[in-house]
């Protein structure tokens, strides 16, 4: 979908939310929902940062680590990709305390979602690194670069461009997964919606607003990643032309 | 820490619940694959609908499945249609993944050589015949692995049904946990079950991919 359409959708979503805010029936719910949205955004941002760190480390460990590190990274990736995010969330929330490690719900949310998306991200990073043209690697060897130099100066800057679109999808997955944290007692946007729904039974206005709010957040993310992609691929003879 | 006697005791309960999880997966996926195909075909066959469908797909893909499940579960009764939790949940999962599947089909259709479409027009085939006899038989095999990946992803979303109290695997584990105050065994078993299923299906998809590659190689 073109970036113009996406921006159009974002404007429309925000306009509908604003129009709803002028109605008495909807205005009631906005402060609480916005409060929830702030928590959702906090978890999404911190989770994404953790996901990037885990993704890069796991990918490098699987590509260049000594055997034990490689296995460890593979086990991490398989476990977090093979089980469902909700199971991971519940496991960290309910089971970990029985082993004497008690994290508060917010930390559990960030860690679980970050590790989950990080596992998918590591495959993205690995794929992007391996997709850099062979000539580039050979040229680095010919120039007698160390592995660190090669990665930092030649390979990663090129791999970065290929990583942007898939990471954009992962960030959206993470944003959507934050709705799960409502099930471990955190009062995020989904939790507030549930709570208000139980108190007022005004299901349609509440959930319409909430869906629009999630849509607006996803669209901001999508548009941001598109712009980043356009910027990063400037001057590179690959990828879509901006 | 880990109580084996307790593990054996809860295993049958969880196994029973796992059957419902798998049922939800299969029904949800049939729904997603069919509805996704319909969306993708209509989008091409009736160009006027293309914009509406792409906005709809974007809407569904940009909002959390959990909210969509709540929405269907709570909103339908307002219109006098009372769906039980299982139906509402599976319907929501099916629609959510139909949006993803329709993009997969679209990629499959886009990969069909233009000459095939042109030849169909030249032979005066109807849109229906073109899709049924020319396009779909060529477009589906290459995208089977991608659809398989969504089947696994869909399976991993079924624990969300526990949020509307469907007695699937996660809900069973939660109930055992809250009754006995032991979460370690049920939660870990649920995790292991998903891990095992995912690894097996990943292997199956890989071999299917190899098989299809061999068949379509010319």
């Amino acid at each position: 979908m073109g970036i113009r359409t996406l921006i159009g959708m974002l404007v429309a979503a925000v306009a509908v939310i604003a129009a709803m805010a002028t109605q008495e029936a909807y205005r009631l719910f906005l402060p609480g929902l916005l409060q929830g949205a702030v928590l959702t955004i906090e978890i999404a941002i911190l989770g994404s940062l953790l996901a990037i760190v885990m993704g890069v480390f796991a990918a490098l460990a699987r590509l260049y680590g000594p055997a034990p590190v490689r296995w460890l990274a593979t086990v991490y990736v398989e476990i977090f990709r093979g089980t469902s995010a909700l199971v991971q969330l519940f496991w960290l929330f309910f089971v970990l305390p029985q082993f004497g490690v008690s994290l508060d719900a917010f930390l559990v949310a960030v860690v679980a979602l970050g590790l989950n998306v990080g596992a998918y991200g590591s495959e993205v990073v690995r794929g992007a690194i391996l997709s850099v043209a062979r000539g580039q690697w050979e040229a680095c060897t010919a120039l007698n670069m160390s592995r660190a130099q090669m990665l930092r100066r030649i390979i990663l800057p090129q791999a970065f461009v290929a990583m942007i679109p898939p990471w954009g999808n992962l960030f959206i997955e993470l944003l959507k997964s934050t709705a799960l944290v409502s099930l471990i007692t955190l009062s995020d946007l989904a939790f507030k919606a549930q709570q208000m729904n139980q108190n007022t039974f005004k299901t349609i206005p509440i959930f319409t607003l909430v869906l629009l709010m999630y849509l607006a957040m996803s669209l901001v993310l999508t548009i941001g990643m598109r712009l980043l992609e356009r910027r990063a691929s400037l001057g590179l003879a690959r990828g879509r032309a901006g | 820490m880990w109580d084996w006697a307790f593990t054996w005791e809860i295993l049958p309960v969880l196994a029973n619940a796992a059957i419902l999880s798998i049922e939800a997966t299969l029904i949800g996926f049939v729904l997603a694959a069919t509805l996704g195909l319909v969306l993708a075909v209509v989008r091409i066959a009736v160009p006027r609908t293309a914009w509406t469908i792409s906005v709809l797909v974007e809407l569904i893909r940009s909002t959390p499945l959990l909210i969509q499940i709540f929405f269907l579960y709570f909103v339908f009764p307002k219109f006098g249609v009372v769906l039980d939790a299982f139906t509402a949940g599976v319907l929501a999962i099916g629609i959510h993944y139909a949006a993803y599947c329709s993009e997969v089909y679209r990629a499959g259709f886009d990969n069909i050589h233009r000459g095939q479409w042109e030849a169909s027009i030249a032979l005066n085939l109807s849109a229906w015949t073109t899709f049924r006899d020319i396009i779909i038989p060529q477009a589906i095999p290459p995208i089977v692995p991608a659809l398989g990946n969504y089947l696994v992803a869909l399976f991993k979303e079924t624990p969300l049904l526990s949020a509307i109290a469907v007695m699937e695997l996660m809900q069973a584990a939660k109930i055992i946990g809250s009754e006995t105050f032991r979460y370690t065994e049920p939660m870990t078993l649920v995790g292991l079950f998903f891990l095992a299923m995912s690894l097996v299906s990943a292997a199956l998809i890989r071999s299917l991919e190899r098989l299809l590659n061999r068949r379509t190689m010319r």
Side-chain angles (χ1 to χ4, degrees), chain B residues 198-208 210:
Chain B
S198 303
L199 291 177
V200 169
S201 14
L204 281 178
I205 293 170
R206 259 202 304 279
S207 49
L208 188 66
R210 257 201 306 275

Side-chain angles (χ1 to χ4, degrees), chain B residues 50-68:
Chain B
W51 190 82
T52 317
I53 289 178
S54 70
V55 168
L56 190 71
V57 165
E58 195 67 31
L59 279 176
I60 295 173
R61 294 203 309 169
S62 309
T63 50
L65 176 56
L66 183 65
I67 307 285
Q68 293 168 2

Side-chain angles (χ1 to χ4, degrees), chain A residues 1 5-6 9 78-79 81-87 90-91 94-95 98-99 120 172-173 175-176 179-180 182-183 190 193-194 197 201-204 207-208 210-212 214-215 218-219 222, chain B residues 1 51 54-55 58-68 70-71 74-75 78-79 96 100 106 156-157 159-160 162-163 170 174 181-184 187-188 190-192 194-196 198-199:
Chain A
M1 197 176 255
T5 322
L6 291 170
M9 279 176 79
E78 290 301 330
I79 285 182
R81 291 202 320 162
T83 59
S84 116
L86 188 61
V87 176
F90 277 13
W91 203 91
F94 288 114
V95 179
Q98 308 204 359
F99 291 95
Y120 288 92
I172 290 185
E173 287 301 318
L175 174 67
K176 292 194 296 173
L180 303 184
S182 63
L183 303 176
Q194 263 277 65
N197 184 43
F201 295 107
K202 299 240 185 298
T203 309
I204 295 176
F207 279 99
T208 309
V210 168
L211 284 171
L212 284 171
Y214 274 111
L215 175 67
S218 302
L219 285 171
T222 313
Chain B
M1 202 89 267
W51 190 82
S54 70
V55 168
E58 195 67 31
L59 279 176
I60 295 173
R61 294 203 309 169
S62 309
T63 50
L65 176 56
L66 183 65
I67 307 285
Q68 293 168 2
F70 283 147
F71 191 79
F74 293 124
V75 167
K78 302 257 165 185
F79 295 106
H96 189 79
Y100 284 93
R106 197 160 72 100
K156 285 188 291 184
E157 302 273 28
L160 293 190
S162 67
M170 195 68 194
K174 252 163 56 184
F181 299 106
R182 290 199 63 94
Y183 282 98
T184 313
M187 287 295 162
T188 311
V190 171
L192 287 176
F194 276 100
L195 187 61
S198 303
L199 291 177

Side-chain angles (χ1 to χ4, degrees), chain B residues 87-117:
Chain B
T87 314
V90 169
L91 202 59
I93 290 182
I95 293 173
H96 189 79
Y97 275 89
Y100 284 93
C101 287
S102 82
E103 292 292 295
V104 173
Y105 287 118
R106 197 160 72 100
F109 293 152
D110 283 349
N111 274 336
I112 301 290
H113 195 273
R114 231 172 61 150
Q116 301 283 326
W117 298 94

